Amino acid sequence: MKSTVIMALAAFAATAPAPAGATNSAGSSSSADVPGRLVVTYQNTVSAMNVGEQFSNSEIIEVGSESLEAVRAQLESHPDVARVENDYWVSNPVPPSPPRPADSLVGALSVPHSDTVNPAAFVPSDPGFRSQIAWEAPQTGRAGVQDILSAYLRATPQRRVRIGVVDSGFYRLQDLDYAQGYNFASADGFGPRFLENEVDPNCLTAHGTGVSGVFGAVTNNGTGIAGIVETDIIAARALSCDSEGRVRGVLTDAALAIRWLAGDPSVANAPRLQQPVDVINASLGGQVSRCPGYLQEAIDYAYSRGILTVVSAGNAGGDAANTAPANCSRVVTVAAVRASGDLADFSNTGADVSVAALGSEVLSLDRFGRLTFWDGTSFSAPVVAGIAGLLKQSSTENLTPANITDLLRSSARLIRQSDGSRIPVVDAKAAMARVANDSGNRVAVIAPFLNDPERCQTEAYRLNNPLALSLDRVYEVTANNLSLGSAGERYTVLRSNGSGGKEVIAQSLEPVFLIKNVNPDTESLWIDVCDSNGQNCRLNQSQALL
């Protein structure tokens, strides 16, 4: 049987269509599946045919469209074949509006951060920061923001994270760089060149640049925008421009890219990624009502390696169940809301949607590094991917994809819509608080002085207050997981200042002490063990006081 199938495949090989970048009829096909391109998955991990491109226990076989059903029947009858599936076209979700330069819109859209966010704390020097709406704290009429600044200032980075991006249109900029990358767009030929200007200078898409900038732009460098998390970006180019100017690819290339980002050694097309990523962002989709097995298995492989895959819900204004990978399992599927908290009219919804985030007027970068507003679930997804990376970076626990998904969902704000439904909008500050509590990484805690149950007679404290202190701004600090070493050390509390530095506001020889004139809800406070001058600090002034 095996030899019979191989002979049949060889006979049909001359009429096999090329994938997305080709100029034949396949390139202009309006159907969702790629004519003549089959994905054969075998019962065993070793391919039974060895005639096509391979990954894991699957093989991609191209045959003439007119012979497709005959070859499919032969393959399905083979005892070593588990299933035969079509490959599908995949592209970035069609944007509801084209990217717009920010220079003419910043004045209209820039909304100063509420005084409840962090007025005295570090504010990034990046010129576009004031228009990065997702960083704001929620307030009346703006329930769709993510309060990223509060989470960013309370983060306690344990290490750098790595975020993989399955996309195209990658450009290297002053404000955005890539640690590694590879081209998986088979229409252009696999290879180490992944920057768009290197692979196809005539393809002017900058989608991958816009996506990557949302979470990975260099923060506080006086250029561009602020990235959500300090990360190494790994670019996996899986789409390309075809002869009609469309940016698209095939779903098998996206599956290969996910496997590569997860460190799968079965991906023979590229050198193995020795250090897998922590999070994958895939702002793309194909029209298919069921997640193909080969794509689900790629996501499952990443999941088994502790890697969360974040995907866009799609911009068709319909059900995300009709788009892959939005309808796959073990992913975080992200819908788009406006700053008001209302679901964006273009956003897909449905039972497959996990959470929502800002997807309207998301500020990022274009291929020249210019500030640009982008719309679509393509850009709500990297908001969530960046927050997921920030959570993983700050946890002392080894957060699994299931842990992160639960954190995002359980800490989300349920925003009521006009139809009475509620949408879970990601709240970065609330999720970060959960990380601090759940992972046990708090070396100290801070609480209002008058909230201590042993001080039930609060009115007595208010009356007997010769210094006329505002007791609502007096807090008690308990350093429960810190201890002094040498005689010169002190428990030290620092506060972020407006210039990006930190100033000492209190020191103590005792592990429980009071500090005054502070508000932890609006200020970023830090705890450390330092010398009497507030220098030579044991934790490098990096431990947030929560």
Side-chain angles (χ1 to χ4, degrees):
M1 177 68 75
K2 175 178 176 179
S3 60
T4 302
V5 175
I6 292 177
M7 289 174 63
L9 292 172
F12 294 133
T15 58
T23 58
N24 66 3
S25 60
S28 59
S29 172
S30 59
S31 61
D33 59 296
V34 183
R37 190 170 165 95
L38 299 174
V39 183
V40 185
T41 301
Y42 300 98
Q43 301 285 0
N44 303 313
T45 57
V46 178
S47 169
M49 302 300 169
N50 297 315
V51 295
E53 178 187 316
Q54 300 171 31
F55 59 95
S56 185
N57 60 332
S58 297
E59 190 168 17
I60 301 169
I61 297 175
E62 295 183 1
V63 297
S65 299
E66 69 280 2
S67 308
L68 181 65
E69 292 309 316
V71 174
R72 179 193 293 273
Q74 288 181 314
L75 289 169
E76 289 177 336
S77 67
H78 195 286
D80 289 332
V81 172
R83 65 175 184 267
V84 181
E85 299 174 284
N86 288 353
D87 202 354
Y88 293 89
W89 296 118
V90 64
S91 63
N92 302 124
V94 177
S97 58
R100 302 177 303 286
D103 49 3
S104 61
L105 297 175
V106 167
L109 292 175
S110 179
V111 178
H113 286 75
S114 164
D115 287 344
T116 63
V117 175
N118 214 314
F122 156 70
V123 174
S125 64
D126 312 270
F129 175 72
R130 287 289 181 181
S131 293
Q132 291 184 258
I133 302 171
W135 287 64
E136 295 180 11
Q139 53 186 301
T140 303
R142 298 183 77 79
V145 297
Q146 275 62 72
D147 206 358
I148 295 171
L149 180 59
S150 294
Y152 182 89
L153 292 171
R154 288 163 174 78
T156 54
Q158 308 294 318
R159 60 180 178 87
R160 285 181 72 88
V161 294
R162 290 162 66 84
I163 298 182
V165 185
V166 183
D167 215 302
S168 66
F170 296 107
Y171 290 86
R172 184 168 274 123
L173 307 170
Q174 180 182 354
D175 201 37
L176 183 67
D177 202 359
Y178 307 93
Q180 287 178 264
Y182 203 82
N183 179 36
F184 288 93
S186 53
D188 296 326
F190 299 121
R193 296 189 305 170
F194 64 93
L195 297 174
E196 204 64 40
N197 55 307
E198 294 178 344
V199 180
D200 186 357
N202 295 319
C203 191
L204 303 182
T205 175
H207 192 274
T209 298
V211 166
S212 301
V214 171
F215 62 76
V218 181
T219 301
N220 201 36
N221 65 341
T223 299
I225 59 173
I228 296 172
V229 61
E230 186 177 355
T231 181
D232 292 331
I233 306 172
I234 315 299
R237 185 178 182 269
L239 308 173
S240 58
C241 287
D242 67 12
S243 60
E244 298 182 20
R246 295 171 298 192
V247 179
R248 66 175 184 173
V250 288
L251 205 51
T252 49
D253 290 347
L256 279 171
I258 290 171
R259 284 186 174 274
W260 179 72
L261 290 168
D264 186 353
S266 77
V267 180
N269 313 82
R272 184 180 182 185
L273 197 63
Q274 293 300 319
Q275 185 180 352
V277 300
D278 296 284
V279 178
I280 294 172
N281 187 97
S283 292
L284 44 74
Q287 291 182 345
V288 50
S289 60
R290 179 185 61 83
C291 180
Y294 54 85
L295 178 61
Q296 184 63 63
E297 288 172 357
I299 292 167
D300 289 346
Y301 180 83
Y303 191 91
S304 72
R305 299 292 302 274
I307 300 165
L308 179 71
T309 302
V310 179
V311 304
S312 55
N315 297 341
D319 195 334
N322 298 317
T323 302
N327 58 9
C328 296
S329 302
R330 294 181 166 179
V331 297
V332 171
T333 299
V334 186
V337 292
R338 302 189 185 281
S340 63
D342 297 324
L343 180 73
D345 54 6
F346 58 78
S347 178
N348 284 351
T349 55
D352 289 305
V353 168
S354 309
V355 292
L358 186 73
S360 177
E361 295 165 350
V362 179
L363 189 64
S364 190
L365 308 167
D366 71 1
R367 62 194 180 99
F368 300 108
R370 297 175 301 199
L371 299 180
T372 303
F373 286 108
W374 301 77
D375 295 330
T377 57
S378 285
F379 299 92
S380 52
V383 169
V384 175
I387 293 170
L390 194 66
L391 298 176
K392 188 155 189 173
Q393 183 186 61
S394 297
S395 177
T396 57
E397 306 288 327
N398 184 22
L399 290 180
T400 66
N403 295 150
I404 299 174
T405 302
D406 176 67
L407 276 169
L408 293 170
R409 289 180 63 90
S410 63
S411 62
R413 300 188 301 274
L414 292 175
I415 308 300
R416 182 181 293 276
Q417 302 298 300
S418 58
D419 62 0
S421 64
R422 294 179 181 269
I423 293 179
V425 174
V426 170
D427 186 320
K429 178 182 177 181
M432 182 61 70
R434 283 278 306 278
V435 166
N437 290 330
D438 295 349
S439 64
N441 63 354
R442 295 186 298 174
V443 299
V445 294
I446 184 170
F449 168 67
L450 293 180
N451 277 10
D452 191 320
E454 295 182 4
R455 304 187 183 101
C456 56
Q457 302 298 324
T458 57
E459 189 61 26
Y461 284 94
R462 295 184 189 279
L463 294 174
N464 186 22
N465 183 8
L467 298 180
L469 292 174
S470 175
L471 294 181
D472 290 338
R473 289 178 57 84
V474 177
Y475 283 77
E476 184 174 74
V477 176
T478 303
N480 47 13
N481 284 315
L482 280 175
S483 58
L484 301 181
S486 64
E489 289 186 327
R490 304 285 190 276
Y491 295 105
T492 304
V493 176
L494 308 100
R495 176 167 52 198
S496 295
N497 57 37
S499 63
K502 295 171 184 173
E503 58 187 6
V504 175
I505 60 172
Q507 288 195 307
S508 173
L509 290 171
E510 300 297 326
V512 180
F513 56 97
L514 299 180
I515 55 176
K516 63 182 180 179
N517 296 326
V518 296
N519 186 347
D521 291 332
T522 63
E523 298 173 315
S524 188
L525 303 177
W526 310 81
I527 183 91
D528 211 331
V529 172
C530 309
D531 63 23
S532 58
N533 295 317
Q535 303 298 315
N536 301 314
C537 298
R538 188 185 304 171
L539 303 178
N540 199 28
Q541 300 183 358
S542 64
Q543 184 66 53
L545 180 57
L546 298 170

